[in-house]
Amino acid sequence: MIRALLLSALVAGALSCGVPTYLPQLPRVVGGENVRPNSWPWQVSLQYSSSGQWRHTCGGSLVANNWVLTAAHCISSSRTYRVVLGRHSLSTSESGSLAVAVSKLVVHEQWNSNQLSKGNDIALLKLANRVSLTDKIQLGCLPPAGSILPNNYVCYVTGWGRLQTNGALPDILQQGKLLVVDYATCSSSGWWGSTVKSNMICAGGDGVISSCNGDSGGPLNCQADNGQWQVHGIVSFGSSLGCNYYHKPSVFTRVSNYIDWINNVIANN
């Protein structure tokens, strides 16, 4: 028994990120479905204080005990933020969930809010306190630096964003299956054209399932061969024509392009 416990501890240590205690159910956020509770345990709700209330504004991914990865366009220096972890329903104060203040905002130095199509839509949020990892709060894995997913690779976007263009915001975390669209296709004239850069990932574009307002900053979760889920993308932007417009896939910041930046920020702050 002791040997079995030791072995399981070693396995857990080797796979210290990207392996949920509660495995996601993956049959098929727009056109998505309710997730299995706590099956994406690195997903956070980024909230800001407004008139004495906390309001959900974006998603994010817990990538270290005191760091959350999100999108630069989610961040305003004039707002006070907190991160809610371990949550399934935003309206319910669930056992095991935490709300932690954000003590520092680090936005990529080359981010320009007036030039979204240049990319660099990435930010790190330092939490005021380190969080303890549990069955409901776990780390998302970062992908290997420079890695590029092939066309049609299956990934899942998760978030509390709108269920359809101009639609309602869900209370329950949603997931949607998206197929990666390779850069050659996505940057072609019938798709996103020159708006998309190589520091981004496209996924979706089938006109049915996509990310939408409120999903920004959240993860594009893609499973590696060893079973670990890796955060390959950060929800960045979609089409002004609608969230799930045909041949206008959701566009994500490509995390593998920023591994050195992420490591440097965490090491120096």
Side-chain angles (χ1 to χ4, degrees):
M1 181 65 176
I2 292 174
R3 186 180 174 194
L5 287 172
L6 182 60
L7 184 61
S8 65
L10 287 171
V11 169
L15 303 176
S16 58
C17 62
V19 183
T21 301
Y22 309 103
L23 298 180
Q25 293 168 331
L26 306 174
R28 56 162 189 103
V29 132
V30 169
E33 62 204 352
N34 291 356
V35 308
R36 181 185 183 188
N38 307 115
S39 56
W40 304 103
W42 46 89
Q43 170 84 47
V44 310
S45 167
L46 177 62
Q47 303 180 352
Y48 67 95
S49 178
S50 174
S51 303
Q53 290 187 310
W54 290 101
R55 300 181 184 276
H56 170 83
T57 183
C58 280
S61 303
L62 186 71
V63 295
N65 294 63
N66 59 337
W67 286 96
V68 164
L69 188 65
T70 190
H73 81 260
C74 291
I75 303 304
S76 167
S77 59
S78 63
R79 284 180 168 173
T80 299
Y81 292 100
R82 73 174 187 177
V83 165
V84 176
L85 308 102
R87 191 63 68 87
H88 180 60
S89 159
L90 285 183
S91 67
T92 308
S93 184
E94 296 165 347
S95 172
S97 69
L98 289 176
V100 183
V102 173
S103 63
K104 190 167 191 176
L105 311 168
V106 184
V107 172
H108 195 283
E109 54 279 1
Q110 292 180 321
W111 161 249
N112 184 336
S113 59
N114 296 316
Q115 295 179 307
L116 185 63
S117 64
K118 278 198 169 181
N120 305 311
D121 189 8
I122 185 171
L124 278 163
L125 312 178
K126 189 173 186 179
L127 304 183
N129 306 301
R130 291 181 179 273
V131 300
S132 297
L133 303 183
T134 67
D135 60 337
K136 295 181 177 181
I137 300 172
Q138 294 171 29
L139 303 181
C141 299
L142 297 177
S147 57
I148 304 285
L149 295 172
N151 199 48
N152 287 329
Y153 199 91
V154 176
C155 298
Y156 289 83
V157 63
T158 50
W160 285 278
R162 297 191 186 279
L163 296 172
Q164 60 190 25
T165 305
N166 299 320
L169 288 165
D171 180 52
I172 301 296
L173 184 63
Q174 302 289 298
Q175 66 184 25
K177 177 181 175 181
L178 297 181
L179 301 185
V180 169
V181 179
D182 64 19
Y183 175 70
T185 302
C186 198
S187 60
S188 63
S189 59
W191 291 66
W192 272 108
S194 60
T195 302
V196 162
K197 306 298 188 291
S198 60
N199 58 8
M200 305 172 186
I201 297 179
C202 300
D206 63 358
V208 180
I209 297 177
S210 75
S211 58
C212 203
N213 312 79
D215 289 323
S216 287
L220 180 68
N221 305 288
C222 310
Q223 197 168 28
D225 290 341
N226 66 356
Q228 283 179 315
W229 289 95
Q230 298 173 342
V231 179
H232 270 269
I234 301 167
V235 178
S236 182
F237 65 89
S239 174
S240 59
L241 299 170
C243 290
N244 48 355
Y245 202 77
Y246 186 63
H247 277 192
K248 288 292 184 287
S250 304
V251 182
F252 302 79
T253 302
R254 179 166 65 82
V255 174
S256 67
N257 189 67
Y258 296 93
I259 299 301
D260 286 347
W261 181 83
I262 292 168
N263 289 336
N264 286 337
V265 169
I266 291 175
N268 294 318
N269 289 279

